[in-house]
Amino acid sequence: MLSHKPIGAVETTEAAPAKINLALHVTGQRADGYHLLEMLVTFTEVGDVVHIEDALEDRFSISGPFSHTLMQSDAGDNLVLKARDLLRQASGPEFRPVAIHLEKNLPVSSGIGGGSADAAATLRGLCRHWNIALAPGKLAEIALKLGADVPMCLASQPLIARGIGEDIEMLHDMPVLNLVLVNPLKGVSTPEIFKRLTSKKNPTLEERGDAPWMAFIGKSRNDLEPPARAVLTEIGEASDLLLQAGAELVRMSGSGATCFGLFATVQDAETAANTLRQYRPGWYVQATKTMGGPLR
């Protein structure tokens, strides 16, 4: 049987962490229709995984618990392949063919950056695999072409993002947060949620100053949560279940439908996740922690 890879093929693995909007403030709208946002963002230890390997020709495959949804979608909409092609265009066509395998562990269209995280991981992974040293600004430019969330996911560290998501301020003192993610495995339409906003010019994030992180996060909000709750009642149910399970703070991430609950300890989060799985065995429930600084 013929091999699909050259002798001595190199393999590269890149994590695609889930993106959590701890806060999402809609602060305005540009003339071109794009909404202006101010977001407090962090990333978790759970996520998808991108595997890259030298090949005789470009190939793409997918596996994992949520792979079936992407298999049914148009390949032309695949952000992983778009990321590969844009990076090759920017760097030169001579870069060798690759087989990319996506391990899809996160629910699709769930407000935790799955597709954007996959695209960003592809960019990072291919830069290592092909030994490309693009200027940071150039890589961010490619990322933004793929979507407003991709530059944030390219960083995959705690940050504040402004504008449509391209104006990024890194946060180096955010503590590790223990959390449980809950998604009812029902999608919501992001354009519809934005369309249902009662106000598109809301207050920005407050200055944190010396306030504890939990207090700062608690004073913020997700402006997309009220319209999303009106569209999908399970979002409210997920939030209620997290509160009943002992979460200190509960909020929806992005445009939904994933909700997160913050817990005092890893053990508290894992116990809550086990309880919630018994209540809603058909839902996505995952205990994890964020990537950040020291434990709070």
Side-chain angles (χ1 to χ4, degrees):
M1 191 169 78
L2 291 175
S3 171
H4 289 291
K5 61 183 179 181
I7 296 171
V10 176
E11 298 182 24
T12 302
T13 299
E14 188 73 28
K19 175 181 73 71
I20 306 299
N21 288 99
L22 295 171
L24 191 161
H25 294 200
V26 180
T27 59
Q29 189 171 18
R30 300 194 318 195
D32 60 6
Y34 278 98
H35 291 86
L36 297 173
L37 309 173
E38 194 164 58
M39 296 171 281
L40 178 63
V41 174
T42 190
F43 294 82
T44 73
E45 291 186 348
V46 297
D48 297 337
V49 183
V50 174
H51 303 273
I52 301 167
E53 186 177 33
D54 289 341
L56 297 177
E57 60 183 13
D58 283 337
R59 287 185 287 115
F60 176 73
S61 57
I62 184 169
S63 66
F66 297 101
S67 59
H68 60 282
T69 307
L70 288 185
M71 287 176 180
Q72 296 165 0
S73 62
D74 184 352
D77 295 330
N78 190 311
L79 286 178
V80 168
L81 301 183
K82 286 182 178 180
R84 177 201 65 194
D85 295 344
L86 282 176
L87 185 61
R88 190 177 265 144
Q89 288 169 20
S91 309
E94 72 277 4
F95 288 101
R96 57 194 185 275
V98 286
I100 300 177
H101 180 80
L102 174 62
E103 186 182 313
K104 193 65 189 168
N105 301 315
L106 298 176
V108 176
S109 301
S110 56
I112 50 178
S116 298
D118 298 341
T122 302
L123 292 177
R124 290 193 306 268
L126 282 174
C127 280
R128 288 197 294 122
H129 191 85
W130 284 335
N131 197 25
I132 296 173
L134 285 180
K138 182 61 177 177
L139 196 58
E141 183 182 312
I142 294 171
L144 189 58
K145 287 180 181 177
L146 292 163
D149 282 356
V150 182
M152 287 178 266
C153 293
L154 194 62
S156 281
Q157 296 177 41
L159 55 85
I160 290 176
R162 299 179 177 89
I164 63 170
E166 82 288 3
D167 181 5
I168 292 173
E169 174 191 344
M170 304 306 298
L171 299 172
H172 301 290
D173 60 342
M174 183 183 287
V176 171
L177 302 170
N178 305 300
L179 69 165
V180 175
L181 306 178
V182 177
N183 185 288
L185 299 185
K186 290 187 178 180
V188 290
S189 165
T190 298
E192 182 183 357
I193 299 306
F194 273 102
K195 196 179 296 183
R196 284 172 168 261
L197 278 170
T198 54
S199 172
K200 299 190 177 184
K201 190 170 180 58
N202 302 293
T204 60
L205 284 167
E206 293 185 11
E207 290 291 327
R208 184 173 77 89
D210 296 326
W213 274 102
M214 283 297 289
F216 175 58
I217 297 168
K219 285 185 177 179
S220 64
R221 60 188 191 276
N222 183 345
D223 289 331
L224 300 183
E225 186 166 344
R229 280 176 175 248
V231 170
L232 188 66
T233 58
E234 284 89 343
I235 292 172
E237 184 183 352
S239 297
D240 290 343
L241 288 173
L242 282 164
L243 286 170
Q244 290 166 23
E248 297 180 355
L249 184 147
V250 173
R251 189 165 289 152
M252 187 184 80
S253 179
S255 58
T258 302
C259 296
F260 63 87
L262 299 182
F263 290 82
T265 67
V266 174
Q267 292 75 19
D268 289 344
E270 290 175 347
T271 299
N274 289 333
T275 301
L276 292 174
R277 286 190 196 100
Q278 294 174 14
Y279 275 120
R280 292 290 179 267
W283 288 12
Y284 172 81
V285 179
Q286 179 66 58
T288 184
K289 58 184 180 179
T290 63
M291 298 181 289
L295 284 166
R296 60 187 174 93

